[in-house]
Amino acid sequence: MKLDRVEAAAPARRRPGLAVPAAAPVEPCEDTIFLRGIRVEALIGVYEHERHAPQPLVIDLELGLQHARCCASDDLRDAVDYGQVLAAVRRLAQVNQAVLLEAFAQNVADALLAGFELSSVAISVSKPAIFDAADSVGVSIRRRRASIAGAPA
């Protein structure tokens, strides 16, 4: 089922009485959420003709979490809400002032690390059909939160 609007999805709730086996002790490590193929438009580009009309961008995200609480609780309140992440990326594209894809990707990384309980982000931003000889051009960056609560610095 594909959703036209992110807000249309109501979070599922665990059914009462559903038996879940007790989890074996595990060593915490990083979990990853991904959103791939996010399509937005932004005024971006180094050439004057690119700054007259919004350019299509395709964004892939990998969001790192230190052993997400939602794995055990099965509760959206303990999770990173994918819809809120998507909305944040769309807002950033709409108000973008960056000229370079690298700077836009950094702005996305900064906003996601500041706005969500993430330990790291990996962001790829591409511009499709810019050159005849290439399907797309783009950049990928990885950023890690400087200090994670409860983890050694």
Side-chain angles (χ1 to χ4, degrees), residues 30-50:
E30 189 168 85
D31 298 339
T32 303
I33 295 170
F34 64 86
L35 288 84
R36 296 193 179 118
I38 300 169
R39 292 172 305 283
V40 298
E41 290 193 343
L43 284 173
I44 192 166
V46 296
Y47 301 110
E48 186 62 31
H49 70 274
E50 294 179 296

PDB file of all heavy atoms in Angstrom, residues 30-50:
ATOM      1  N   GLU A  30      24.436  -0.027  16.389  1.00  0.00           N
ATOM      2  CA  GLU A  30      23.660   0.953  15.648  1.00  0.00           C
ATOM      3  C   GLU A  30      22.650   0.279  14.722  1.00  0.00           C
ATOM      4  O   GLU A  30      22.989  -0.611  13.959  1.00  0.00           O
ATOM      5  CB  GLU A  30      24.600   1.846  14.839  1.00  0.00           C
ATOM      6  CG  GLU A  30      23.883   3.013  14.213  1.00  0.00           C
ATOM      7  CD  GLU A  30      24.831   4.045  13.660  1.00  0.00           C
ATOM      8  OE1 GLU A  30      25.277   3.879  12.521  1.00  0.00           O
ATOM      9  OE2 GLU A  30      25.122   5.011  14.385  1.00  0.00           O
ATOM     10  N   ASP A  31      21.404   0.728  14.820  1.00  0.00           N
ATOM     11  CA  ASP A  31      20.347   0.315  13.903  1.00  0.00           C
ATOM     12  C   ASP A  31      20.259   1.366  12.806  1.00  0.00           C
ATOM     13  O   ASP A  31      20.647   2.517  13.009  1.00  0.00           O
ATOM     14  CB  ASP A  31      18.999   0.223  14.627  1.00  0.00           C
ATOM     15  CG  ASP A  31      19.013  -0.816  15.742  1.00  0.00           C
ATOM     16  OD1 ASP A  31      19.869  -1.714  15.720  1.00  0.00           O
ATOM     17  OD2 ASP A  31      18.161  -0.712  16.644  1.00  0.00           O
ATOM     18  N   THR A  32      19.747   0.994  11.650  1.00  0.00           N
ATOM     19  CA  THR A  32      19.662   1.919  10.527  1.00  0.00           C
ATOM     20  C   THR A  32      18.252   1.961   9.964  1.00  0.00           C
ATOM     21  O   THR A  32      17.661   0.922   9.684  1.00  0.00           O
ATOM     22  CB  THR A  32      20.637   1.508   9.405  1.00  0.00           C
ATOM     23  OG1 THR A  32      21.959   1.454   9.927  1.00  0.00           O
ATOM     24  CG2 THR A  32      20.587   2.492   8.250  1.00  0.00           C
ATOM     25  N   ILE A  33      17.745   3.166   9.814  1.00  0.00           N
ATOM     26  CA  ILE A  33      16.499   3.429   9.094  1.00  0.00           C
ATOM     27  C   ILE A  33      16.908   3.987   7.746  1.00  0.00           C
ATOM     28  O   ILE A  33      17.833   4.802   7.673  1.00  0.00           O
ATOM     29  CB  ILE A  33      15.644   4.483   9.833  1.00  0.00           C
ATOM     30  CG1 ILE A  33      15.185   3.949  11.179  1.00  0.00           C
ATOM     31  CG2 ILE A  33      14.460   4.917   8.982  1.00  0.00           C
ATOM     32  CD1 ILE A  33      14.560   5.015  12.059  1.00  0.00           C
ATOM     33  N   PHE A  34      16.244   3.584   6.684  1.00  0.00           N
ATOM     34  CA  PHE A  34      16.577   4.190   5.396  1.00  0.00           C
ATOM     35  C   PHE A  34      15.325   4.702   4.702  1.00  0.00           C
ATOM     36  O   PHE A  34      14.235   4.156   4.843  1.00  0.00           O
ATOM     37  CB  PHE A  34      17.344   3.216   4.493  1.00  0.00           C
ATOM     38  CG  PHE A  34      16.565   2.003   4.087  1.00  0.00           C
ATOM     39  CD1 PHE A  34      15.736   2.012   2.978  1.00  0.00           C
ATOM     40  CD2 PHE A  34      16.683   0.834   4.813  1.00  0.00           C
ATOM     41  CE1 PHE A  34      15.024   0.884   2.611  1.00  0.00           C
ATOM     42  CE2 PHE A  34      15.969  -0.305   4.452  1.00  0.00           C
ATOM     43  CZ  PHE A  34      15.141  -0.275   3.348  1.00  0.00           C
ATOM     44  N   LEU A  35      15.497   5.792   3.990  1.00  0.00           N
ATOM     45  CA  LEU A  35      14.489   6.346   3.089  1.00  0.00           C
ATOM     46  C   LEU A  35      15.207   6.542   1.768  1.00  0.00           C
ATOM     47  O   LEU A  35      16.214   7.262   1.709  1.00  0.00           O
ATOM     48  CB  LEU A  35      13.950   7.693   3.600  1.00  0.00           C
ATOM     49  CG  LEU A  35      13.032   7.648   4.817  1.00  0.00           C
ATOM     50  CD1 LEU A  35      13.830   7.613   6.096  1.00  0.00           C
ATOM     51  CD2 LEU A  35      12.112   8.840   4.806  1.00  0.00           C
ATOM     52  N   ARG A  36      14.737   5.906   0.726  1.00  0.00           N
ATOM     53  CA  ARG A  36      15.420   5.953  -0.568  1.00  0.00           C
ATOM     54  C   ARG A  36      14.524   6.543  -1.638  1.00  0.00           C
ATOM     55  O   ARG A  36      13.326   6.311  -1.664  1.00  0.00           O
ATOM     56  CB  ARG A  36      15.855   4.551  -0.976  1.00  0.00           C
ATOM     57  CG  ARG A  36      16.877   3.979  -0.021  1.00  0.00           C
ATOM     58  CD  ARG A  36      17.558   2.753  -0.549  1.00  0.00           C
ATOM     59  NE  ARG A  36      18.532   2.287   0.426  1.00  0.00           N
ATOM     60  CZ  ARG A  36      18.479   1.113   1.022  1.00  0.00           C
ATOM     61  NH1 ARG A  36      17.536   0.260   0.741  1.00  0.00           N
ATOM     62  NH2 ARG A  36      19.400   0.780   1.902  1.00  0.00           N
ATOM     63  N   GLY A  37      15.149   7.302  -2.512  1.00  0.00           N
ATOM     64  CA  GLY A  37      14.435   7.837  -3.664  1.00  0.00           C
ATOM     65  C   GLY A  37      13.482   8.974  -3.328  1.00  0.00           C
ATOM     66  O   GLY A  37      12.459   9.132  -3.990  1.00  0.00           O
ATOM     67  N   ILE A  38      13.810   9.767  -2.321  1.00  0.00           N
ATOM     68  CA  ILE A  38      12.968  10.922  -1.969  1.00  0.00           C
ATOM     69  C   ILE A  38      13.100  11.940  -3.097  1.00  0.00           C
ATOM     70  O   ILE A  38      14.207  12.363  -3.438  1.00  0.00           O
ATOM     71  CB  ILE A  38      13.412  11.550  -0.636  1.00  0.00           C
ATOM     72  CG1 ILE A  38      13.322  10.534   0.501  1.00  0.00           C
ATOM     73  CG2 ILE A  38      12.597  12.805  -0.338  1.00  0.00           C
ATOM     74  CD1 ILE A  38      13.990  10.996   1.780  1.00  0.00           C
ATOM     75  N   ARG A  39      12.003  12.322  -3.679  1.00  0.00           N
ATOM     76  CA  ARG A  39      12.010  13.266  -4.795  1.00  0.00           C
ATOM     77  C   ARG A  39      11.533  14.629  -4.310  1.00  0.00           C
ATOM     78  O   ARG A  39      10.433  14.753  -3.776  1.00  0.00           O
ATOM     79  CB  ARG A  39      11.113  12.756  -5.933  1.00  0.00           C
ATOM     80  CG  ARG A  39      11.680  11.509  -6.592  1.00  0.00           C
ATOM     81  CD  ARG A  39      10.719  10.886  -7.588  1.00  0.00           C
ATOM     82  NE  ARG A  39       9.400  10.563  -7.045  1.00  0.00           N
ATOM     83  CZ  ARG A  39       9.125   9.517  -6.274  1.00  0.00           C
ATOM     84  NH1 ARG A  39      10.058   8.659  -5.943  1.00  0.00           N
ATOM     85  NH2 ARG A  39       7.902   9.318  -5.822  1.00  0.00           N
ATOM     86  N   VAL A  40      12.396  15.637  -4.493  1.00  0.00           N
ATOM     87  CA  VAL A  40      12.070  17.013  -4.131  1.00  0.00           C
ATOM     88  C   VAL A  40      12.563  17.913  -5.260  1.00  0.00           C
ATOM     89  O   VAL A  40      13.268  17.463  -6.164  1.00  0.00           O
ATOM     90  CB  VAL A  40      12.718  17.437  -2.794  1.00  0.00           C
ATOM     91  CG1 VAL A  40      12.207  16.593  -1.636  1.00  0.00           C
ATOM     92  CG2 VAL A  40      14.231  17.390  -2.869  1.00  0.00           C
ATOM     93  N   GLU A  41      12.191  19.173  -5.176  1.00  0.00           N
ATOM     94  CA  GLU A  41      12.730  20.182  -6.086  1.00  0.00           C
ATOM     95  C   GLU A  41      13.287  21.316  -5.241  1.00  0.00           C
ATOM     96  O   GLU A  41      12.734  21.648  -4.190  1.00  0.00           O
ATOM     97  CB  GLU A  41      11.656  20.689  -7.037  1.00  0.00           C
ATOM     98  CG  GLU A  41      11.237  19.649  -8.056  1.00  0.00           C
ATOM     99  CD  GLU A  41      10.411  20.230  -9.181  1.00  0.00           C
ATOM    100  OE1 GLU A  41       9.885  21.347  -9.040  1.00  0.00           O
ATOM    101  OE2 GLU A  41      10.289  19.547 -10.211  1.00  0.00           O
ATOM    102  N   ALA A  42      14.399  21.898  -5.726  1.00  0.00           N
ATOM    103  CA  ALA A  42      15.043  22.989  -4.992  1.00  0.00           C
ATOM    104  C   ALA A  42      15.735  23.920  -5.981  1.00  0.00           C
ATOM    105  O   ALA A  42      16.195  23.474  -7.040  1.00  0.00           O
ATOM    106  CB  ALA A  42      16.065  22.436  -4.006  1.00  0.00           C
ATOM    107  N   LEU A  43      15.799  25.177  -5.613  1.00  0.00           N
ATOM    108  CA  LEU A  43      16.634  26.115  -6.363  1.00  0.00           C
ATOM    109  C   LEU A  43      18.069  25.833  -5.953  1.00  0.00           C
ATOM    110  O   LEU A  43      18.474  26.140  -4.827  1.00  0.00           O
ATOM    111  CB  LEU A  43      16.259  27.563  -6.044  1.00  0.00           C
ATOM    112  CG  LEU A  43      14.991  28.078  -6.690  1.00  0.00           C
ATOM    113  CD1 LEU A  43      14.650  29.466  -6.167  1.00  0.00           C
ATOM    114  CD2 LEU A  43      15.116  28.091  -8.208  1.00  0.00           C
ATOM    115  N   ILE A  44      18.824  25.203  -6.836  1.00  0.00           N
ATOM    116  CA  ILE A  44      20.190  24.808  -6.508  1.00  0.00           C
ATOM    117  C   ILE A  44      20.984  24.680  -7.793  1.00  0.00           C
ATOM    118  O   ILE A  44      20.450  24.279  -8.817  1.00  0.00           O
ATOM    119  CB  ILE A  44      20.211  23.488  -5.701  1.00  0.00           C
ATOM    120  CG1 ILE A  44      21.593  23.224  -5.111  1.00  0.00           C
ATOM    121  CG2 ILE A  44      19.696  22.322  -6.533  1.00  0.00           C
ATOM    122  CD1 ILE A  44      21.592  22.140  -4.032  1.00  0.00           C
ATOM    123  N   GLY A  45      22.231  25.058  -7.733  1.00  0.00           N
ATOM    124  CA  GLY A  45      23.105  24.922  -8.887  1.00  0.00           C
ATOM    125  C   GLY A  45      24.077  26.078  -8.972  1.00  0.00           C
ATOM    126  O   GLY A  45      23.802  27.170  -8.480  1.00  0.00           O
ATOM    127  N   VAL A  46      25.208  25.834  -9.604  1.00  0.00           N
ATOM    128  CA  VAL A  46      26.239  26.858  -9.706  1.00  0.00           C
ATOM    129  C   VAL A  46      26.040  27.761 -10.913  1.00  0.00           C
ATOM    130  O   VAL A  46      26.585  28.861 -10.946  1.00  0.00           O
ATOM    131  CB  VAL A  46      27.657  26.240  -9.744  1.00  0.00           C
ATOM    132  CG1 VAL A  46      27.963  25.529  -8.441  1.00  0.00           C
ATOM    133  CG2 VAL A  46      27.815  25.304 -10.916  1.00  0.00           C
ATOM    134  N   TYR A  47      25.280  27.308 -11.886  1.00  0.00           N
ATOM    135  CA  TYR A  47      25.069  28.103 -13.092  1.00  0.00           C
ATOM    136  C   TYR A  47      23.794  28.929 -12.966  1.00  0.00           C
ATOM    137  O   TYR A  47      22.806  28.494 -12.373  1.00  0.00           O
ATOM    138  CB  TYR A  47      25.002  27.195 -14.318  1.00  0.00           C
ATOM    139  CG  TYR A  47      26.263  26.390 -14.488  1.00  0.00           C
ATOM    140  CD1 TYR A  47      26.257  25.011 -14.261  1.00  0.00           C
ATOM    141  CD2 TYR A  47      27.457  27.006 -14.850  1.00  0.00           C
ATOM    142  CE1 TYR A  47      27.419  24.277 -14.402  1.00  0.00           C
ATOM    143  CE2 TYR A  47      28.620  26.274 -14.982  1.00  0.00           C
ATOM    144  CZ  TYR A  47      28.598  24.907 -14.761  1.00  0.00           C
ATOM    145  OH  TYR A  47      29.749  24.177 -14.887  1.00  0.00           O
ATOM    146  N   GLU A  48      23.824  30.110 -13.524  1.00  0.00           N
ATOM    147  CA  GLU A  48      22.689  31.037 -13.434  1.00  0.00           C
ATOM    148  C   GLU A  48      21.396  30.391 -13.917  1.00  0.00           C
ATOM    149  O   GLU A  48      20.353  30.543 -13.297  1.00  0.00           O
ATOM    150  CB  GLU A  48      23.003  32.311 -14.237  1.00  0.00           C
ATOM    151  CG  GLU A  48      21.951  33.389 -14.091  1.00  0.00           C
ATOM    152  CD  GLU A  48      21.780  33.906 -12.669  1.00  0.00           C
ATOM    153  OE1 GLU A  48      22.764  33.916 -11.907  1.00  0.00           O
ATOM    154  OE2 GLU A  48      20.655  34.295 -12.320  1.00  0.00           O
ATOM    155  N   HIS A  49      21.459  29.646 -15.027  1.00  0.00           N
ATOM    156  CA  HIS A  49      20.226  29.045 -15.561  1.00  0.00           C
ATOM    157  C   HIS A  49      19.619  28.010 -14.607  1.00  0.00           C
ATOM    158  O   HIS A  49      18.428  27.741 -14.660  1.00  0.00           O
ATOM    159  CB  HIS A  49      20.472  28.425 -16.951  1.00  0.00           C
ATOM    160  CG  HIS A  49      21.324  27.196 -16.937  1.00  0.00           C
ATOM    161  ND1 HIS A  49      22.710  27.255 -16.985  1.00  0.00           N
ATOM    162  CD2 HIS A  49      21.000  25.884 -16.851  1.00  0.00           C
ATOM    163  CE1 HIS A  49      23.192  26.023 -16.947  1.00  0.00           C
ATOM    164  NE2 HIS A  49      22.173  25.176 -16.862  1.00  0.00           N
ATOM    165  N   GLU A  50      20.429  27.452 -13.700  1.00  0.00           N
ATOM    166  CA  GLU A  50      19.915  26.488 -12.721  1.00  0.00           C
ATOM    167  C   GLU A  50      19.170  27.177 -11.580  1.00  0.00           C
ATOM    168  O   GLU A  50      18.417  26.528 -10.862  1.00  0.00           O
ATOM    169  CB  GLU A  50      21.062  25.667 -12.128  1.00  0.00           C
ATOM    170  CG  GLU A  50      21.750  24.760 -13.116  1.00  0.00           C
ATOM    171  CD  GLU A  50      22.892  24.008 -12.476  1.00  0.00           C
ATOM    172  OE1 GLU A  50      23.869  24.663 -12.046  1.00  0.00           O
ATOM    173  OE2 GLU A  50      22.817  22.769 -12.412  1.00  0.00           O
TER     174      GLU A  50
END
